[in-house]
Amino acid sequence: MAIKITRPQGTEDITPKQIYKWHTVEQIARETAESFGFHEIRIPTFEQTDLFLRSVGETTDVVQKEMYTVKAKETEFTLRPEGTAGTIRAMLQNGMLNDALPQKVFYILSCFRHERPQAGRLREFHQFGVEMAGSEGPESDAEIIALAKNLLDRAGLKNIVLHINSIGCPICRAEYHRALKAYFEPHRKELCPTCQTRLDKNPMRILDCKSPICAEIAKDAPLIPDFLCEECRTHYESLQEYLRALDIDFLLDPKIVRGLDYYTKTVFEFITTDIGAQGTVCAGGRYDGLIEQLGGKPTPAMGFALGLERLILTMESQGCAFKAPKKCDLYIAPMDKAATPVAMQLSNTLRHNGYQVEYDLMHRGLKAQMKYANKIGSTFVMVLGENELKSQNANLKNMETGEEIAIALNETFEQRFDDLAVQYMFQDILDEMEKEN
Ligand code: ATP
Ligand code: MG
Protein backbone atom coordinates (compact mmCIF):
# COMPACT_ATOMS: atom_id res chain seq x y z
CA MET A 1 0.00 0.00 0.00
CA ALA A 2 1.25 3.45 -0.84
CA ILE A 3 2.28 5.63 2.10
CA LYS A 4 -0.09 8.54 2.63
CA ILE A 5 1.47 11.91 1.96
CA THR A 6 0.66 14.58 4.51
CA ARG A 7 1.00 18.37 4.29
CA PRO A 8 4.33 19.89 5.34
CA GLN A 9 4.69 20.81 9.00
CA GLY A 10 3.59 24.34 9.75
CA THR A 11 1.21 24.57 6.80
CA GLU A 12 -2.58 24.45 6.87
CA ASP A 13 -5.35 23.29 4.58
CA ILE A 14 -8.25 25.66 4.50
CA THR A 15 -11.21 23.44 3.64
CA PRO A 16 -14.56 24.61 2.21
CA LYS A 17 -16.00 24.28 5.74
CA GLN A 18 -13.57 26.95 7.03
CA ILE A 19 -13.29 29.19 4.00
CA TYR A 20 -16.10 31.55 4.97
CA LYS A 21 -13.94 32.86 7.79
CA TRP A 22 -11.22 33.72 5.29
CA HIS A 23 -13.69 35.32 2.92
CA THR A 24 -14.97 37.40 5.83
CA VAL A 25 -11.59 38.78 6.87
CA GLU A 26 -10.42 39.25 3.29
CA GLN A 27 -13.56 41.22 2.49
CA ILE A 28 -13.18 43.36 5.61
CA ALA A 29 -9.53 43.99 4.75
CA ARG A 30 -10.27 44.94 1.13
CA GLU A 31 -13.16 47.20 2.00
CA THR A 32 -11.21 48.95 4.74
CA ALA A 33 -8.18 49.52 2.50
CA GLU A 34 -10.35 50.80 -0.34
CA SER A 35 -12.19 53.18 1.97
CA PHE A 36 -8.79 54.79 2.67
CA GLY A 37 -8.00 54.98 -1.06
CA PHE A 38 -5.56 52.06 -1.17
CA HIS A 39 -5.43 49.85 -4.27
CA GLU A 40 -4.53 46.19 -4.52
CA ILE A 41 -1.14 45.05 -5.77
CA ARG A 42 -0.10 41.46 -6.54
CA ILE A 43 3.53 40.46 -6.53
CA PRO A 44 5.49 37.24 -7.11
CA THR A 45 5.65 34.51 -4.49
CA PHE A 46 9.44 34.40 -4.82
CA GLU A 47 12.07 37.05 -5.38
CA GLN A 48 15.82 37.17 -5.78
CA THR A 49 17.30 36.42 -2.37
CA ASP A 50 19.28 39.66 -2.44
CA LEU A 51 16.08 41.68 -2.19
CA PHE A 52 15.43 40.34 1.30
CA LEU A 53 19.06 40.54 2.39
CA ARG A 54 19.11 44.21 1.45
CA SER A 55 15.71 45.14 2.91
CA VAL A 56 14.74 42.86 5.78
CA GLY A 57 18.35 42.94 6.93
CA GLU A 58 21.13 40.49 7.70
CA THR A 59 20.83 40.69 11.49
CA THR A 60 17.16 39.72 11.62
CA ASP A 61 15.71 36.34 12.60
CA VAL A 62 13.94 36.24 9.26
CA VAL A 63 17.13 36.43 7.22
CA GLN A 64 19.34 34.48 9.60
CA LYS A 65 17.08 31.55 10.36
CA GLU A 66 13.77 31.59 8.58
CA MET A 67 14.13 32.01 4.82
CA TYR A 68 13.21 29.32 2.32
CA THR A 69 15.87 29.72 -0.31
CA VAL A 70 16.26 27.61 -3.43
CA LYS A 71 18.88 27.67 -6.08
CA ALA A 72 17.46 27.33 -9.56
CA LYS A 73 19.88 27.39 -12.52
CA GLU A 74 22.58 29.33 -10.70
CA THR A 75 20.23 32.02 -9.34
CA GLU A 76 19.14 32.09 -5.73
CA PHE A 77 15.50 32.74 -5.03
CA THR A 78 13.65 33.05 -1.73
CA LEU A 79 9.98 32.48 -1.01
CA ARG A 80 8.78 35.84 0.29
CA PRO A 81 8.95 35.96 4.11
CA GLU A 82 6.92 39.19 4.07
CA GLY A 83 5.29 41.55 1.60
CA THR A 84 6.97 44.93 1.96
CA ALA A 85 10.22 44.19 0.12
CA GLY A 86 8.48 42.76 -2.95
CA THR A 87 5.92 45.55 -2.96
CA ILE A 88 8.56 48.28 -2.90
CA ARG A 89 10.57 46.44 -5.56
CA ALA A 90 7.42 46.34 -7.70
CA MET A 91 6.69 50.04 -7.11
CA LEU A 92 10.19 50.90 -8.30
CA GLN A 93 10.23 48.50 -11.22
CA ASN A 94 6.85 49.76 -12.48
CA GLY A 95 7.69 53.43 -12.08
CA MET A 96 4.83 53.89 -9.64
CA LEU A 97 6.76 56.41 -7.59
CA ASN A 98 6.86 58.77 -10.61
CA ASP A 99 3.07 58.89 -10.45
CA ALA A 100 0.93 60.99 -8.13
CA LEU A 101 2.10 60.63 -4.53
CA PRO A 102 1.44 59.20 -2.08
CA GLN A 103 1.23 55.77 -3.68
CA LYS A 104 -1.07 53.64 -1.57
CA VAL A 105 -1.30 49.90 -2.08
CA PHE A 106 -2.54 46.86 -0.20
CA TYR A 107 -2.02 43.13 -0.59
CA ILE A 108 -3.26 39.82 0.70
CA LEU A 109 -0.58 37.17 0.31
CA SER A 110 1.05 34.07 1.74
CA CYS A 111 4.45 34.31 3.46
CA PHE A 112 7.00 31.62 4.20
CA ARG A 113 9.24 31.43 7.24
CA HIS A 114 11.03 28.40 8.62
CA GLU A 115 10.00 28.73 12.26
CA ARG A 116 9.00 26.34 15.00
CA PRO A 117 5.29 25.79 14.34
CA GLN A 118 2.87 26.54 17.17
CA ALA A 119 -0.52 28.19 17.61
CA GLY A 120 -0.43 31.43 15.59
CA ARG A 121 3.02 30.66 14.21
CA LEU A 122 3.17 28.79 10.92
CA ARG A 123 5.68 28.17 8.16
CA GLU A 124 3.22 29.30 5.54
CA PHE A 125 0.94 32.05 6.81
CA HIS A 126 -1.05 34.90 5.34
CA GLN A 127 -0.76 38.63 5.63
CA PHE A 128 -2.91 41.55 4.73
CA GLY A 129 -0.61 44.53 4.36
CA VAL A 130 -0.61 48.13 3.24
CA GLU A 131 2.23 50.37 2.07
CA MET A 132 2.13 54.11 1.50
CA ALA A 133 5.04 55.82 -0.22
CA GLY A 134 5.81 59.51 -0.67
CA SER A 135 4.53 61.23 2.44
CA GLU A 136 6.68 61.91 5.46
CA GLY A 137 4.53 63.79 7.98
CA PRO A 138 3.13 62.28 11.18
CA GLU A 139 -0.44 62.58 9.84
CA SER A 140 0.51 59.77 7.44
CA ASP A 141 1.56 57.63 10.38
CA ALA A 142 -1.79 58.36 11.99
CA GLU A 143 -3.56 57.47 8.74
CA ILE A 144 -1.84 54.07 8.55
CA ILE A 145 -2.59 53.29 12.18
CA ALA A 146 -6.19 54.46 11.73
CA LEU A 147 -6.56 52.06 8.80
CA ALA A 148 -5.42 49.13 10.94
CA LYS A 149 -7.69 50.20 13.79
CA ASN A 150 -10.64 50.63 11.45
CA LEU A 151 -10.12 47.08 10.14
CA LEU A 152 -9.89 45.59 13.64
CA ASP A 153 -13.07 47.47 14.61
CA ARG A 154 -14.91 46.19 11.55
CA ALA A 155 -13.83 42.66 12.49
CA GLY A 156 -15.46 43.26 15.86
CA LEU A 157 -12.30 42.88 17.95
CA LYS A 158 -12.21 44.19 21.47
CA ASN A 159 -9.41 43.99 23.90
CA ILE A 160 -6.58 44.62 21.48
CA VAL A 161 -4.06 47.24 22.50
CA LEU A 162 -2.11 49.58 20.28
CA HIS A 163 1.54 49.91 21.32
CA ILE A 164 3.60 52.64 19.70
CA ASN A 165 7.22 53.67 19.81
CA SER A 166 9.71 55.69 17.82
CA ILE A 167 13.03 54.11 16.93
CA GLY A 168 14.43 57.35 15.55
CA CYS A 169 16.34 58.08 12.41
CA PRO A 170 19.85 56.91 11.46
CA ILE A 171 21.29 59.99 13.20
CA CYS A 172 19.77 59.59 16.64
CA ARG A 173 19.86 55.82 16.43
CA ALA A 174 23.65 55.91 16.07
CA GLU A 175 23.80 57.55 19.47
CA TYR A 176 21.42 54.94 20.87
CA HIS A 177 23.44 52.09 19.39
CA ARG A 178 26.53 53.37 21.19
CA ALA A 179 24.63 53.40 24.47
CA LEU A 180 23.31 49.88 23.88
CA LYS A 181 26.77 48.57 23.01
CA ALA A 182 28.15 49.98 26.21
CA TYR A 183 25.31 48.39 28.15
CA PHE A 184 25.53 44.91 26.58
CA GLU A 185 29.32 44.64 26.21
CA PRO A 186 29.90 43.39 29.79
CA HIS A 187 27.33 40.61 29.11
CA ARG A 188 28.68 39.62 25.71
CA LYS A 189 29.54 36.05 26.73
CA GLU A 190 26.08 35.42 28.24
CA LEU A 191 24.16 36.49 25.11
CA CYS A 192 22.98 33.88 22.60
CA PRO A 193 25.31 33.45 19.60
CA THR A 194 22.94 35.42 17.35
CA CYS A 195 22.90 38.35 19.74
CA GLN A 196 26.69 38.27 20.03
CA THR A 197 26.91 39.16 16.34
CA ARG A 198 24.03 41.60 16.75
CA LEU A 199 26.05 43.37 19.43
CA ASP A 200 28.58 44.33 16.77
CA LYS A 201 26.28 44.85 13.82
CA ASN A 202 22.91 46.01 15.15
CA PRO A 203 22.57 45.98 18.95
CA MET A 204 18.95 47.14 18.87
CA ARG A 205 18.00 43.70 17.52
CA ILE A 206 19.00 42.21 20.88
CA LEU A 207 15.88 43.80 22.37
CA ASP A 208 13.82 41.74 19.93
CA CYS A 209 15.46 38.39 20.85
CA LYS A 210 13.07 35.66 21.96
CA SER A 211 15.65 33.94 24.23
CA PRO A 212 14.68 34.40 27.89
CA ILE A 213 18.34 34.86 28.86
CA CYS A 214 18.85 37.72 26.40
CA ALA A 215 15.50 39.20 27.48
CA GLU A 216 16.60 39.13 31.12
CA ILE A 217 19.88 40.85 30.30
CA ALA A 218 18.04 43.43 28.21
CA LYS A 219 15.67 44.27 31.04
CA ASP A 220 17.42 47.46 32.11
CA ALA A 221 18.86 48.44 28.75
CA PRO A 222 18.68 52.12 27.76
CA LEU A 223 15.49 53.06 25.92
CA ILE A 224 15.34 54.75 22.54
CA PRO A 225 12.88 57.55 23.41
CA ASP A 226 15.60 59.09 25.60
CA PHE A 227 17.82 59.41 22.54
CA LEU A 228 15.48 60.86 19.91
CA CYS A 229 16.66 63.94 18.04
CA GLU A 230 14.50 67.05 17.88
CA GLU A 231 12.87 66.11 14.57
CA CYS A 232 12.08 62.54 15.60
CA ARG A 233 10.72 63.66 18.95
CA THR A 234 8.40 66.25 17.36
CA HIS A 235 7.21 63.69 14.82
CA TYR A 236 6.45 61.22 17.60
CA GLU A 237 4.60 63.80 19.68
CA SER A 238 2.50 64.99 16.73
CA LEU A 239 1.53 61.40 15.98
CA GLN A 240 0.27 61.03 19.54
CA GLU A 241 -1.78 64.21 19.16
CA TYR A 242 -3.38 62.92 15.96
CA LEU A 243 -4.18 59.58 17.57
CA ARG A 244 -5.88 61.37 20.42
CA ALA A 245 -7.83 63.44 17.89
CA LEU A 246 -8.90 60.19 16.24
CA ASP A 247 -9.93 58.74 19.60
CA ILE A 248 -7.51 55.86 19.18
CA ASP A 249 -6.13 54.66 22.52
CA PHE A 250 -2.45 53.78 22.61
CA LEU A 251 0.32 52.75 24.95
CA LEU A 252 3.83 54.18 24.73
CA ASP A 253 6.00 51.08 24.60
CA PRO A 254 9.73 51.86 24.36
CA LYS A 255 10.50 48.14 24.05
CA ILE A 256 9.00 47.75 20.60
CA VAL A 257 11.82 47.75 18.07
CA ARG A 258 10.29 45.51 15.35
CA GLY A 259 11.84 42.44 13.79
CA LEU A 260 12.87 43.91 10.48
CA ASP A 261 15.73 46.27 9.79
CA TYR A 262 14.12 48.86 7.61
CA TYR A 263 12.06 50.76 10.16
CA THR A 264 12.64 54.41 11.14
CA LYS A 265 10.73 56.69 13.52
CA THR A 266 7.25 55.30 14.21
CA VAL A 267 6.78 51.59 14.91
CA PHE A 268 3.62 50.03 16.26
CA GLU A 269 1.89 46.78 17.11
CA PHE A 270 -1.65 45.79 17.93
CA ILE A 271 -1.40 43.14 20.64
CA THR A 272 -4.01 40.87 22.18
CA THR A 273 -3.68 38.54 25.14
CA ASP A 274 -6.53 36.34 23.93
CA ILE A 275 -4.61 33.91 21.72
CA GLY A 276 -1.61 32.97 23.83
CA ALA A 277 2.00 33.89 23.29
CA GLN A 278 1.74 34.95 19.63
CA GLY A 279 -0.39 37.96 20.42
CA THR A 280 0.86 40.48 17.87
CA VAL A 281 -1.89 40.56 15.28
CA CYS A 282 -0.73 43.60 13.36
CA ALA A 283 2.68 45.24 13.16
CA GLY A 284 4.15 48.05 11.15
CA GLY A 285 5.99 51.28 11.00
CA ARG A 286 7.76 53.92 8.98
CA TYR A 287 10.68 52.95 6.77
CA ASP A 288 12.02 56.13 5.26
CA GLY A 289 15.33 54.59 4.19
CA LEU A 290 14.15 51.48 2.40
CA ILE A 291 13.26 52.84 -1.02
CA GLU A 292 16.64 54.50 -1.43
CA GLN A 293 18.31 51.35 -0.14
CA LEU A 294 16.62 49.42 -2.95
CA GLY A 295 17.86 51.82 -5.60
CA GLY A 296 15.07 54.42 -5.73
CA LYS A 297 15.13 58.14 -5.02
CA PRO A 298 14.98 58.88 -1.29
CA THR A 299 11.26 58.49 -0.55
CA PRO A 300 9.61 58.27 2.86
CA ALA A 301 7.19 55.39 3.32
CA MET A 302 5.17 53.56 5.90
CA GLY A 303 3.05 50.42 6.21
CA PHE A 304 1.94 47.47 8.26
CA ALA A 305 1.25 43.77 7.95
CA LEU A 306 -1.52 41.96 9.71
CA GLY A 307 -1.40 38.19 10.23
CA LEU A 308 -4.68 36.76 8.99
CA GLU A 309 -4.36 33.49 10.96
CA ARG A 310 -3.88 35.48 14.16
CA LEU A 311 -6.77 37.78 13.26
CA ILE A 312 -9.10 34.80 12.73
CA LEU A 313 -7.88 33.12 15.95
CA THR A 314 -8.61 36.29 17.91
CA MET A 315 -12.01 36.72 16.30
CA GLU A 316 -12.86 33.11 17.17
CA SER A 317 -11.73 33.48 20.74
CA GLN A 318 -13.79 36.67 21.13
CA GLY A 319 -16.86 35.21 19.43
CA CYS A 320 -16.82 37.77 16.61
CA ALA A 321 -19.25 37.24 13.73
CA PHE A 322 -18.15 35.77 10.42
CA LYS A 323 -20.23 36.26 7.31
CA ALA A 324 -22.26 33.10 6.71
CA PRO A 325 -21.34 31.19 3.56
CA LYS A 326 -23.78 31.40 0.63
CA LYS A 327 -26.22 28.51 0.76
CA CYS A 328 -28.22 26.61 -1.83
CA ASP A 329 -31.38 28.46 -2.87
CA LEU A 330 -33.08 25.57 -4.61
CA TYR A 331 -32.55 21.84 -4.73
CA ILE A 332 -34.40 20.03 -7.50
CA ALA A 333 -35.20 16.35 -6.97
CA PRO A 334 -35.87 14.64 -10.32
CA MET A 335 -37.84 11.44 -9.74
CA ASP A 336 -37.23 9.75 -13.08
CA LYS A 337 -35.08 9.94 -16.20
CA ALA A 338 -37.46 12.26 -18.06
CA ALA A 339 -37.25 14.81 -15.23
CA THR A 340 -33.47 15.11 -15.33
CA PRO A 341 -33.16 17.32 -18.44
CA VAL A 342 -35.94 19.55 -17.11
CA ALA A 343 -34.10 19.85 -13.79
CA MET A 344 -30.95 20.77 -15.70
CA GLN A 345 -32.68 23.47 -17.75
CA LEU A 346 -34.48 25.03 -14.80
CA SER A 347 -31.28 24.97 -12.73
CA ASN A 348 -29.26 26.73 -15.39
CA THR A 349 -31.88 29.41 -15.90
CA LEU A 350 -31.87 30.26 -12.22
CA ARG A 351 -28.09 30.09 -11.98
CA HIS A 352 -27.88 32.75 -14.69
CA ASN A 353 -29.95 34.91 -12.36
CA GLY A 354 -27.42 34.44 -9.57
CA TYR A 355 -29.14 31.71 -7.57
CA GLN A 356 -27.32 28.70 -6.18
CA VAL A 357 -29.12 25.64 -7.54
CA GLU A 358 -28.39 21.93 -7.35
CA TYR A 359 -30.11 18.78 -8.54
CA ASP A 360 -29.49 15.10 -7.96
CA LEU A 361 -26.28 13.71 -9.45
CA MET A 362 -26.18 10.57 -7.32
CA HIS A 363 -29.27 8.70 -8.58
CA ARG A 364 -30.73 8.79 -5.09
CA GLY A 365 -34.28 8.04 -4.00
CA LEU A 366 -36.55 10.81 -2.73
CA LYS A 367 -35.83 10.27 0.95
CA ALA A 368 -32.08 10.36 0.48
CA GLN A 369 -32.39 13.43 -1.73
CA MET A 370 -34.38 15.27 0.92
CA LYS A 371 -31.72 14.37 3.45
CA TYR A 372 -29.05 15.79 1.17
CA ALA A 373 -31.06 18.96 0.53
CA ASN A 374 -31.33 19.41 4.27
CA LYS A 375 -27.63 18.87 4.74
CA ILE A 376 -26.67 21.57 2.25
CA GLY A 377 -29.24 23.85 3.86
CA SER A 378 -31.25 24.49 0.72
CA THR A 379 -33.94 27.14 1.15
CA PHE A 380 -36.39 25.51 -1.27
CA VAL A 381 -36.82 21.98 -2.60
CA MET A 382 -38.78 21.10 -5.71
CA VAL A 383 -39.71 17.51 -6.58
CA LEU A 384 -40.05 16.77 -10.31
CA GLY A 385 -41.88 13.53 -11.07
CA GLU A 386 -44.23 12.19 -13.70
CA ASN A 387 -47.22 14.17 -12.34
CA GLU A 388 -45.34 17.46 -12.27
CA LEU A 389 -44.12 17.05 -15.84
CA LYS A 390 -47.59 16.11 -17.07
CA SER A 391 -49.40 18.97 -15.32
CA GLN A 392 -46.50 21.43 -15.80
CA ASN A 393 -47.00 22.39 -12.19
CA ALA A 394 -44.74 21.71 -9.21
CA ASN A 395 -44.43 22.66 -5.55
CA LEU A 396 -41.65 24.65 -3.99
CA LYS A 397 -41.21 23.46 -0.46
CA ASN A 398 -39.82 25.98 2.00
CA MET A 399 -37.50 23.77 4.02
CA GLU A 400 -37.68 25.97 7.10
CA THR A 401 -41.47 26.26 7.46
CA GLY A 402 -42.52 23.20 5.45
CA GLU A 403 -44.87 25.44 3.49
CA GLU A 404 -45.57 24.33 -0.10
CA ILE A 405 -46.04 26.93 -2.82
CA ALA A 406 -47.29 26.11 -6.31
CA ILE A 407 -45.12 27.10 -9.26
CA ALA A 408 -45.81 26.60 -12.97
CA LEU A 409 -43.09 24.99 -15.06
CA ASN A 410 -43.53 27.38 -17.98
CA GLU A 411 -42.15 30.75 -19.06
CA THR A 412 -43.38 32.31 -15.77
CA PHE A 413 -41.09 30.03 -13.70
CA GLU A 414 -38.10 32.38 -13.54
CA GLN A 415 -40.11 35.41 -12.49
CA ARG A 416 -42.16 33.46 -9.96
CA PHE A 417 -39.06 31.95 -8.35
CA ASP A 418 -37.45 35.37 -8.20
CA ASP A 419 -40.51 36.84 -6.45
CA LEU A 420 -40.65 34.02 -3.91
CA ALA A 421 -36.92 34.14 -3.22
CA VAL A 422 -37.01 37.90 -2.67
CA GLN A 423 -40.07 37.54 -0.45
CA TYR A 424 -38.24 34.89 1.55
CA MET A 425 -35.17 37.11 1.89
CA PHE A 426 -37.28 40.02 3.15
CA GLN A 427 -39.07 37.75 5.59
CA ASP A 428 -35.66 36.75 6.91
CA ILE A 429 -34.64 40.38 7.37
CA LEU A 430 -37.99 41.23 9.01
CA ASP A 431 -37.61 38.26 11.38
CA GLU A 432 -34.11 39.43 12.26
CA MET A 433 -35.37 42.94 12.97
CA GLU A 434 -38.19 41.61 15.11
CA LYS A 435 -35.70 39.55 17.11
CA GLU A 436 -33.58 42.65 17.72
CA ASN A 437 -36.53 44.75 18.95
P1 ATP B 1 6.86 37.67 15.77
O1 ATP B 1 7.55 38.56 16.73
O2 ATP B 1 5.54 37.14 16.26
O3 ATP B 1 7.75 36.62 15.20
P2 ATP B 1 7.44 39.28 13.48
O4 ATP B 1 8.02 40.51 14.02
O5 ATP B 1 8.32 38.24 12.92
O6 ATP B 1 6.44 38.62 14.55
P3 ATP B 1 6.30 40.64 11.23
O7 ATP B 1 7.42 40.30 10.35
O8 ATP B 1 6.15 42.01 11.71
O9 ATP B 1 6.27 39.62 12.46
O10 ATP B 1 4.93 40.17 10.54
C1 ATP B 1 3.72 40.88 10.69
C2 ATP B 1 2.63 40.00 11.21
O11 ATP B 1 2.58 38.78 10.50
C3 ATP B 1 2.80 39.58 12.66
O12 ATP B 1 2.37 40.55 13.53
C4 ATP B 1 1.93 38.35 12.72
O13 ATP B 1 0.58 38.69 12.86
C5 ATP B 1 2.16 37.74 11.37
N1 ATP B 1 3.18 36.68 11.43
C6 ATP B 1 4.53 36.81 11.42
N2 ATP B 1 5.13 35.62 11.44
C7 ATP B 1 4.13 34.69 11.46
C8 ATP B 1 4.09 33.27 11.47
N3 ATP B 1 5.21 32.53 11.44
N4 ATP B 1 2.88 32.64 11.49
C9 ATP B 1 1.73 33.36 11.50
N5 ATP B 1 1.70 34.70 11.48
C10 ATP B 1 2.88 35.37 11.46
MG1 MG C 1 9.08 36.43 13.64
Side-chain angles (χ1 to χ4, degrees):
M1 211 175 73
I3 297 170
K4 271 210 190 104
I5 295 177
T6 56
R7 61 174 176 265
Q9 230 198 329
T11 64
E12 272 177 354
D13 302 313
I14 304 165
T15 63
K17 276 219 170 83
Q18 292 294 323
I19 200 72
Y20 71 100
K21 295 183 180 170
W22 287 83
H23 288 165
T24 302
V25 297
E26 285 164 9
Q27 189 185 348
I28 292 172
R30 282 212 161 81
E31 287 176 0
T32 309
E34 279 163 5
S35 72
F36 279 75
F38 284 64
H39 301 287
E40 184 171 0
I41 188 166
R42 297 194 184 184
I43 54 170
T45 308
F46 59 94
E47 299 272 357
Q48 292 188 35
T49 301
D50 260 356
L51 175 67
F52 302 115
L53 299 185
R54 273 161 58 183
S55 56
V56 177
E58 287 178 88
T59 55
T60 59
D61 275 353
V62 168
V63 165
Q64 289 197 335
K65 308 176 194 163
E66 300 171 0
M67 293 209 302
Y68 282 95
T69 297
V70 290
K71 199 164 166 192
K73 311 240 185 241
E74 300 311 308
T75 310
E76 263 200 8
F77 296 103
T78 295
L79 297 180
R80 60 182 174 222
E82 50 98 61
T84 303
T87 299
I88 297 301
R89 196 250 335 115
M91 280 189 176
L92 287 170
Q93 193 161 358
N94 293 283
M96 290 165 64
L97 297 175
N98 306 324
D99 253 336
L101 297 179
Q103 282 289 307
K104 302 189 286 187
V105 299
F106 76 89
Y107 50 77
I108 295 174
L109 44 71
S110 49
C111 301
F112 307 85
R113 297 185 191 179
H114 196 277
E115 314 203 53
R116 197 166 66 77
Q118 47 199 296
R121 191 174 292 286
L122 294 149
R123 290 182 174 170
E124 181 182 12
F125 61 99
H126 297 80
Q127 286 185 342
F128 160 74
V130 309
E131 316 292 348
M132 170 154 82
S135 57
E136 64 182 348
E139 56 293 331
S140 297
D141 305 38
E143 181 86 340
I144 291 288
I145 292 174
L147 198 167
K149 175 71 165 77
N150 193 302
L151 188 162
L152 297 170
D153 286 346
R154 288 191 203 208
L157 288 198
K158 309 245 151 31
N159 203 6
I160 183 156
V161 181
L162 168 63
H163 295 232
I164 63 171
N165 190 22
S166 171
I167 57 171
C169 60
I171 297 164
C172 47
R173 206 175 318 149
E175 187 77 25
Y176 181 51
H177 275 174
R178 270 194 290 279
L180 279 179
K181 271 188 182 159
Y183 174 85
F184 283 113
E185 192 57 56
H187 304 281
R188 178 182 282 273
K189 293 260 154 55
E190 303 151 56
L191 293 169
C192 76
T194 316
C195 284
Q196 291 187 17
T197 40
R198 285 172 174 155
L199 183 49
D200 298 316
K201 287 193 180 150
N202 192 349
M204 205 169 69
R205 284 281 82 81
I206 301 174
L207 304 180
D208 215 22
C209 184
K210 302 230 157 53
S211 138
I213 298 169
C214 297
E216 178 61 29
I217 297 170
K219 221 175 57 205
D220 297 316
L223 297 170
I224 177 84
D226 298 329
F227 293 80
L228 295 180
C229 64
E230 184 59 30
E231 190 201 318
C232 289
R233 182 184 314 283
T234 317
H235 186 101
Y236 192 35
E237 279 163 6
S238 307
L239 167 64
Q240 295 170 40
E241 258 167 54
Y242 289 129
L243 290 177
R244 278 190 282 268
L246 284 164
D247 243 341
I248 297 176
D249 292 333
F250 57 88
L251 258 181
L252 299 183
D253 184 347
K255 287 256 156 82
I256 289 195
V257 294
R258 305 291 313 116
L260 316 178
D261 255 3
Y262 46 60
Y263 288 107
T264 52
K265 290 185 178 152
T266 307
V267 289
F268 69 94
E269 297 188 2
F270 281 91
I271 305 178
T272 170
T273 49
D274 289 350
I275 54 169
Q278 322 305 328
T280 302
V281 174
C282 173
R286 180 165 279 288
Y287 48 88
D288 288 346
L290 179 64
I291 293 177
E292 186 180 17
Q293 207 171 306
L294 292 178
K297 281 188 294 205
T299 311
M302 165 124 188
F304 70 73
L306 185 149
L308 292 180
E309 281 83 359
R310 291 187 196 177
L311 174 62
I312 291 174
L313 279 175
T314 316
M315 288 173 72
E316 287 170 344
S317 83
Q318 298 189 5
C320 300
F322 293 94
K323 207 174 142 208
K326 196 167 158 35
K327 281 192 319 185
C328 186
D329 295 299
L330 172 64
Y331 178 84
I332 304 179
M335 286 295 89
D336 60 26
K337 258 210 157 110
T340 296
V342 181
M344 286 177 171
Q345 287 159 2
L346 294 175
S347 298
N348 271 351
T349 313
L350 296 184
R351 287 167 180 163
H352 274 299
N353 296 347
Y355 290 108
Q356 192 178 118
V357 187
E358 292 191 41
Y359 56 86
D360 178 53
L361 297 170
M362 298 297 292
H363 305 153
R364 287 185 176 119
L366 181 59
K367 215 169 142 199
Q369 289 201 45
M370 293 309 268
K371 208 168 148 194
Y372 176 80
N374 242 325
K375 195 156 192 185
I376 61 173
S378 190
T379 305
F380 295 105
V381 170
M382 183 172 75
V383 177
L384 280 189
E386 212 178 318
N387 288 341
E388 284 79 10
L389 293 192
K390 213 187 277 162
S391 67
Q392 287 291 291
N393 275 297
N395 278 332
L396 279 181
K397 182 172 180 185
N398 179 326
M399 292 298 276
E400 208 173 295
T401 61
E403 186 192 1
E404 306 237 8
I405 310 153
I407 188 165
L409 302 176
N410 55 22
E411 65 289 341
T412 63
F413 179 81
E414 250 180 278
Q415 186 60 54
R416 172 92 170 127
F417 185 84
D418 214 37
D419 290 344
L420 291 169
V422 169
Q423 206 179 319
Y424 174 83
M425 234 154 51
F426 272 112
Q427 196 51 53
D428 236 22
I429 295 170
L430 286 176
D431 289 350
E432 271 300 308
M433 279 164 59
E434 206 153 279
K435 245 190 270 160
E436 272 164 33
N437 289 332

